Amino acid sequence: MCAFTVQNIFSLACRDRCMAKLRTLIPLPSHGKPPNSTAAVLVPLCRVEGVPSLLYTVRSATFRPDVIYSGQITFPGGKCEKDETAVQTALRETKEELGLPSEKINVWGQGPAIPSQTNEFMITPVIGALQELKPTDLMININEVAEAFTVPIAHLCDPKNQFYTQFSNGYILPVFIAEDYKIWGITAYITHAFLTCALSKNVYHNEWLKKKIDIKSE
């Protein structure tokens, strides 16, 4: 499908459209008093054997508990250090976790901050595009990341891979299934926000609203 070609998704027009829409999104409300602590994640748009994809990480079971959540699927990222911008945090954490230097990442911009699931942090998503990504490009920090994997954009847009779950606080958020991986929570919300802003409505639909799935660890 032409909508999922490198020429389309990595184009300047797609970048401009994505960031213009992302900046106007109404973020999820915090459940309680908005947290003072801040964090940032990188949404890594990459090419895997010429296929536009998103890069995800699985947090190490021994991952420090001060950011987001050991054992879960996330984007690379973490807590902002003093006087750091969200972009600086996202790039620093991506290098620390995956060994990807900032000069290989073309930062598109950032979206509005959203509260973490535990309401401990306000998380800013930073969109960044990489060139062709190969397994040898990654130097995984096993103290923080158990593994990294990519999912084609076309797979995420396929309705058969989309579900939703409802949390105890009332939030209804998407869930994306990619083989044995379940992408849920704030990571799924950011994925949904990116796809909504980067792609047209006839390419990415809210089909996940039609099928519920239970997440045991919610």
Side-chain angles (χ1 to χ4, degrees), residues 28-114:
L28 289 171
S30 59
H31 34 281
K33 184 180 179 181
N36 293 321
S37 297
T38 58
V41 297
L42 183 74
V43 182
L45 175 62
C46 56
R47 312 175 193 184
V48 181
E49 297 182 352
V51 177
S53 306
L54 291 182
L55 173 64
Y56 296 90
T57 67
V58 180
R59 291 298 187 191
S60 169
T62 59
F63 182 61
R64 66 186 190 274
D66 63 336
V67 191
I68 346 174
Y69 306 103
S70 64
Q72 291 187 13
I73 293 172
T74 69
F75 290 116
K79 185 177 180 180
C80 296
E81 295 183 351
K82 185 178 180 180
D83 298 327
E84 257 189 344
T85 66
V87 170
Q88 290 171 333
T89 296
L91 294 177
R92 172 180 57 78
E93 289 283 349
T94 299
K95 184 174 182 180
E96 291 177 3
E97 295 174 11
L98 300 176
L100 291 172
S102 58
E103 55 265 25
K104 287 192 174 184
I105 302 170
N106 177 18
V107 175
W108 285 13
Q110 65 189 61
I114 56 177

